[in-house]
Amino acid sequence: MSKVHGWIVDTAIECDHQRFAGFLKVSLEEMLIALRDDAALLHDPDQLLPADAGRALDEAGELDLDAAVRTLYPQGFSARRFVTVIEEETVWRSV
């Protein structure tokens, strides 16, 4: 049996993860980050590191080597896990 999820996807981040008429509102940015599994890049918002480095900075400003192996989908991508990542705000919690 299929399960349908309806979300409001907007380019603005205001009111993210609030519900309107029962529908969860999320930002397009969050959707794209989740689809590309790019949450680790949020540690380098100005993209000061080379794009192919796949690394982020830790709290001390040092390269965080663990960020390169971080993923939102440790068992591989699935539609079910994608829904969970969006609904539980996993993209922002991994920052």
Side-chain angles (χ1 to χ4, degrees):
M1 182 171 145
S2 297
K3 194 170 187 181
V4 176
H5 288 269
W7 293 323
I8 300 168
V9 180
D10 191 8
T11 56
I13 61 171
E14 289 81 20
C15 302
D16 256 12
H17 289 272
Q18 291 183 15
R19 293 206 176 257
F20 298 90
F23 294 99
L24 180 68
K25 188 272 179 194
V26 295
S27 68
L28 178 60
E29 179 181 15
E30 181 176 356
M31 296 288 285
L32 294 174
I33 291 168
L35 284 169
R36 294 188 319 215
D37 196 12
D38 280 346
L41 297 179
L42 293 173
H43 295 275
D44 184 25
D46 296 325
Q47 296 183 353
L48 299 174
L49 299 173
D52 61 341
R55 297 182 183 157
L57 298 179
D58 64 14
E59 293 175 11
E62 301 290 323
L63 283 178
D64 180 0
L65 300 178
D66 290 335
V69 296
R70 245 181 249 139
T71 178
L72 298 169
Y73 311 99
Q75 274 83 36
F77 180 87
S78 71
R80 183 171 298 183
R81 179 67 182 143
F82 174 70
V83 169
T84 301
V85 163
I86 295 299
E87 292 190 348
E88 293 181 359
E89 302 180 60
T90 309
V91 165
W92 307 120
R93 291 187 182 145
S94 66
V95 175

